[in-house]
Amino acid sequence: MNVRPDFSKNRNMAETAPAFLSVWDMHSYYGESYIVQGISFNVHEGEILALLGRNGAGKTTTLRSIARMDDPQVNHGEIWLDHQPLHKMTSYEASTAGLGLVPEDRRIIPGLTVEENLQLAQIAPPIGWSIERLYDLFPRLGERRKQEGVTLSGGEQQMLSIARALARDVKVLLLDEPYEGLAPVIVDEIEKTLRHIKEQGMTTILVEQNAIRALQLADRAIILDTGSIVFDGSAEEVLENDSLRAEYLAI
Ligand SMILES: Nc1ncnc2c1ncn2[C@@H]1O[C@H](COP(=O)(O)OP(=O)(O)O)[C@@H](O)[C@H]1O
Ligand SMILES: [Mg+2]
């Protein structure tokens, strides 16, 4: 078990990090509230990293920090994506650099069809996944291409939200609780699609309350506890370690 990777001798991540996405000593605040308390981790190209921890541990804050959202404020640290310094970027620039955040609330744009939601996400000329390729990936979306996005079921909205991220030229997908509130059969469908996306080489960070399901899909796992990393290792290690799961995941 590798607790708290030590990057102290490795300040210049751009030169030394073999990882695709590197977070180094990141500290994040909401106003005066100190939430993410100096975390460092790497995500390798093509892997799925499960980011786990109890409610309020700081998972969403971590994803929003990496995506450079206005809230929270990241006041220290470096974030590198494929040799690009995300920590110097706005959220729009980070998204153009290949960061695809799929937020918990899905944010489907009202008044637009499924297809218009996807078209709007594509940068011109389209260099991400083509809309036809996205319909192959999510046949339900193809069948409902003319339907208004907000009238889709919860599971279909989640699929649209993921498809929309892929429609950009995304290099890393950050998924915030994609299974939340969905029936097990829909979760199966989304999980199958995430496996398929991984086979195409996608790099993914998966935040999930359903830790067992996330660990079954993930290569590696990080566990957060009150804004600090308490575990960084393989997904199997967490599945096999009952006391670790009981202590930090309450399962
Ligand atoms: N917008 C906000 N303003 C102030 N505090 C927040 C805000 N969002 C989250 N927090 C606090 O930050 C901590 C971590 O929250 P969050 O990252 O959402 O946790 P998780 O996603 O792991 O459940 C919690 O204590 C939460 O109350
Ligand atoms: Mg959250």
Side-chain angles (χ1 to χ4, degrees):
M1 181 165 104
N2 176 14
V3 175
R4 293 195 194 213
D6 177 16
F7 292 118
S8 53
K9 297 186 197 76
N10 254 347
R11 276 228 50 163
N12 192 342
M13 304 278 297
E15 280 168 25
T16 55
F20 196 56
L21 177 72
S22 290
V23 172
W24 181 78
D25 201 21
M26 186 172 77
H27 299 252
S28 310
Y29 292 78
Y30 292 109
E32 300 281 290
S33 306
Y34 182 33
I35 308 295
V36 171
Q37 308 190 347
I39 64 171
S40 301
F41 63 94
N42 288 323
V43 192
H44 301 286
E45 191 165 12
E47 84 177 345
I48 299 180
L49 175 77
L51 176 58
L52 306 174
R54 286 197 203 89
N55 232 332
K59 304 179 297 295
T60 297
T61 306
T62 298
L63 295 189
R64 291 179 60 85
S65 300
I66 296 171
R68 309 294 299 140
M69 308 302 279
D70 291 339
D71 245 351
Q73 302 81 45
V74 179
N75 86 337
H76 188 269
E78 295 177 18
I79 310 159
W80 293 88
L81 171 60
D82 197 16
H83 306 283
Q84 306 168 95
L86 292 188
H87 54 282
K88 294 181 179 162
M89 298 184 189
T90 62
S91 62
Y92 177 77
E93 289 164 345
S95 133
T96 307
L99 207 283
L101 174 66
V102 179
E104 214 170 341
D105 59 10
R106 294 159 197 166
R107 306 256 168 87
I108 307 303
I109 301 164
L112 298 185
T113 65
V114 167
E115 191 143 304
E116 287 163 348
N117 264 278
L118 293 175
Q119 282 165 343
L120 198 69
Q122 277 195 320
I123 18 191
I127 47 177
W129 293 46
S130 72
I131 289 182
E132 283 312 315
R133 195 168 158 217
L134 290 169
Y135 290 154
D136 286 342
L137 193 63
F138 296 105
R140 280 164 179 272
L141 296 182
E143 289 158 19
R144 292 161 178 77
R145 64 181 80 188
K146 300 288 176 223
Q147 190 174 327
E148 194 183 341
V150 291
T151 67
L152 297 174
S153 72
E156 290 156 3
Q157 287 194 24
Q158 186 62 60
M159 292 173 196
L160 179 55
S161 191
I162 296 170
R164 205 171 45 179
L166 293 172
R168 304 191 136 264
D169 190 29
V170 72
K171 290 180 173 167
V172 58
L173 263 182
L174 309 185
L175 303 174
D176 199 354
E177 304 209 21
Y179 305 155
E180 196 192 6
L182 305 182
V185 56
I186 302 295
V187 173
D188 288 343
E189 208 174 310
I190 292 177
E191 186 180 76
K192 202 174 125 208
T193 309
L194 293 178
R195 261 184 225 286
H196 188 71
I197 297 170
K198 177 188 159 70
E199 284 160 15
Q200 317 280 309
M202 184 59 64
T203 308
T204 303
I205 300 182
L206 173 62
V207 166
E208 229 343 286
Q209 276 303 314
N210 193 336
I212 299 292
R213 283 206 83 132
L215 289 164
Q216 284 163 349
L217 182 64
D219 303 290
R220 278 199 314 122
I222 280 176
I223 301 179
L224 272 183
D225 190 47
T226 53
S228 297
I229 292 177
V230 292
F231 174 89
D232 181 341
S234 74
E236 287 99 74
E237 268 178 274
V238 185
L239 284 170
E240 285 161 11
N241 191 330
D242 295 343
S243 59
L244 185 71
R245 289 206 316 276
E247 185 168 1
Y248 297 112
L249 304 174
I251 47 169

